Amino acid sequence: MKITEIQSHILQYDLPEELGYSQQYYAQRTAHLVEVSTDEGITGWGECFGPGPIAVANKGIVEGVIAPMIVGMDPIERDVIWHKVYNLMRDHGQKGMPMQSLSGVDIALWDIAGKFMGQPIYNLLGGAHRRCVPAYGYGMMLKRESLADHVARFADEASAILGMGFKATKMKTGLGPIADIQLCKTVAKAVEGKGLFMVDANHCYTTSDAFYVGRALDEMGAYWFEEPVAPEDLSGYRELRAGLKTNISGGEAEFGRWGWRNILENRGLDIAQPEVCALGGITEYQRVLALCHAHFTPVINHVWGSAIAVATNLHLLAAMPPLPGGLNPWEPMLEFDTTHNSFRDDLLTEPLNIQDQVANNRGRVNIPNGPGLGVEPDRDFIKAFKFL
């Protein structure tokens, strides 16, 4: 079997309302799908992390840089392909967009391998430790509105997300430390006795401001404080983890085993959040997961994107060994964006229906069990939403 073609499909639509987080507001939803074709008629699908203009740049890397390197190769040789591409791009970027682009291609190769062997990806990874996973819902995005409006909306959204059946909920911060603490208090009160809540700062604080917010979160019982400081600030992460009771999480902006080695040896994370569609795909994710477990750091994957990204992560969560083991081991959760996302809900010929599963299955989501990813995009949908 040989790879015959690699195509990028960038999809985009206008959101019903503008959303924001600590770094920016955005009004469009973007997804970057990668399609790898073979001479045996087997097609694989992957996804590259990165919205808007980042997706456009990544398309150029996928089709203009990576494709010429690997067309004609055997797609089953995923590790050979991974290292060939990485080594040839190494001088031009061991992180960032080159790795995001490689991720989408690599995921598609795993999809091909599963289809070729008639096995779901979790079996190629060694089998399923669990057939379903709990899910948490995030929402409570920032908007161009007053603090009072944020407070009222966050209280309603937090209650609504737990009311959907999710085991926990996650909010955004980024209005400033004093206002953010007020928002967190609102959410903590709304979920009290009903479920966990987490706080995602998207690296908007200095270390001192992160301590100011984090000490307040300690008193509220937040489950984790996500990306409190810049991903480059390894010393800040280590200081925060040592000085706060709330779990410190992060890692979505790190790439490859070498970057993750630095994070883990630094001992700055209570919970690791690798992003498979960015760090190098499933091939590299497995190495990062092994490093996390070697450092006894539990993993809850970062999940953002279309139904391809969600399906990929469900396989990874199924195949993730318990850490530590036992009769009632700690369990990873599926991250689920509760905001409007047609690329997740409507892309597939047979939708995953995550929200229905959560509502009807005690907050849990089943793992797809078909060959490869176990899902197939609707080509008519892709044509309707194709941006580039």
Side-chain angles (χ1 to χ4, degrees):
M1 182 163 55
K2 296 184 184 301
I3 298 169
T4 56
E5 187 179 19
I6 300 176
Q7 291 180 278
S8 279
H9 305 278
I10 298 179
L11 314 181
Q12 192 172 92
Y13 72 93
D14 292 333
L15 288 165
E17 58 181 343
E18 184 183 62
L19 300 173
Y21 59 102
S22 69
Q23 303 301 317
Q24 66 176 332
Y25 296 102
Y26 58 97
Q28 288 85 35
R29 174 79 67 181
T30 309
H32 179 185
L33 307 183
V34 175
E35 179 184 6
V36 177
S37 302
T38 69
D39 61 355
E40 294 192 12
I42 300 175
T43 298
W45 293 90
E47 181 162 357
C48 302
F49 182 80
I54 303 300
V56 175
N58 284 343
K59 176 182 172 69
I61 298 172
V62 169
E63 296 184 342
V65 179
I66 297 177
M69 295 178 185
I70 67 174
V71 165
M73 294 184 69
D74 184 345
I76 300 301
E77 295 183 340
R78 301 178 298 285
D79 192 61
V80 174
I81 289 172
W82 195 97
H83 281 93
K84 177 179 181 178
V85 173
Y86 183 83
N87 289 337
L88 288 173
M89 294 198 301
R90 175 181 256 136
D91 292 350
H92 314 286
Q94 304 103 36
K95 298 177 184 288
M97 290 185 287
M99 292 294 278
Q100 292 171 349
S101 301
L102 176 55
S103 299
V105 174
D106 181 79
I107 292 167
L109 297 180
W110 279 85
D111 190 28
I112 289 171
K115 290 171 179 174
F116 178 72
M117 299 175 192
Q119 295 291 326
I121 286 176
Y122 63 73
N123 274 349
L124 303 189
L125 297 172
H129 290 272
R130 54 195 67 82
R131 299 291 175 177
C132 61
V133 293
Y136 77 86
Y138 87 76
M140 292 167 279
M141 309 293 288
L142 303 185
K143 296 185 180 181
R144 301 178 200 264
E145 62 187 15
S146 69
L147 174 58
D149 287 339
H150 273 96
V151 167
R153 181 168 56 83
F154 275 34
D156 290 341
E157 284 192 35
S159 297
I161 290 170
L162 292 185
M164 296 174 191
F166 289 99
K167 297 293 187 181
T169 188
K170 188 170 76 177
M171 60 178 286
K172 297 291 189 181
T173 58
L175 299 181
I178 295 174
D180 289 342
I181 288 174
Q182 189 170 342
L183 284 180
C184 293
K185 286 180 178 178
T186 297
V187 174
K189 183 177 180 180
V191 305
E192 187 174 6
K194 302 174 186 176
L196 302 172
F197 85 100
M198 295 84 81
V199 176
D200 186 359
N202 292 109
H203 52 76
C204 70
Y205 301 125
T206 62
T207 304
S208 59
D209 282 346
F211 265 114
Y212 179 77
V213 175
R215 290 185 181 113
L217 295 179
D218 283 349
E219 300 304 314
M220 298 177 211
Y223 184 41
W224 76 58
F225 191 11
E226 182 171 336
E227 281 202 308
V229 294
E232 301 95 332
D233 186 8
L234 297 184
S235 296
Y237 275 94
R238 186 175 62 251
E239 293 164 10
L240 288 163
R241 187 187 181 205
L244 296 175
K245 294 184 292 184
T246 302
N247 290 314
I248 301 299
S249 69
E252 70 184 72
E254 191 51 83
F255 303 86
R257 74 199 84 155
W258 301 281
W260 272 94
R261 178 187 62 186
N262 294 334
I263 286 181
L264 294 162
E265 289 179 352
N266 181 63
R267 304 299 289 171
L269 294 180
D270 293 290
I271 297 171
Q273 295 173 303
E275 168 53 73
V276 68
C277 297
L279 63 77
I282 295 174
T283 298
E284 191 68 357
Y285 172 91
Q286 288 300 104
R287 299 183 178 107
V288 170
L289 177 66
L291 279 173
C292 291
H293 282 196
H295 287 83
F296 295 95
T297 304
V299 173
I300 297 180
N301 296 347
H302 179 265
V303 183
W304 184 93
S306 79
I308 299 297
V310 174
T312 302
N313 278 280
L314 285 170
H315 284 275
L316 298 178
L317 293 172
M320 186 187 298
L323 178 77
L327 292 174
N328 296 286
W330 180 93
E331 278 197 293
M333 294 186 287
L334 173 71
E335 179 176 13
F336 184 84
D337 174 4
T338 63
T339 64
H340 195 279
N341 189 343
S342 290
F343 299 146
R344 181 197 58 226
D345 298 337
D346 305 319
L347 170 67
L348 303 179
T349 56
E350 296 184 17
L352 291 168
N353 293 323
I354 300 292
Q355 286 164 295
D356 288 344
Q357 290 194 58
V358 166
N360 299 314
N361 195 24
R362 295 174 291 108
R364 303 181 76 87
V365 179
N366 293 321
I367 311 300
N369 57 17
L373 288 171
V375 299
E376 285 294 322
D378 183 332
R379 291 187 180 275
D380 289 336
F381 182 92
I382 290 175
K383 289 178 182 177
F385 286 89
K386 192 156 183 176
F387 173 72
L388 188 64

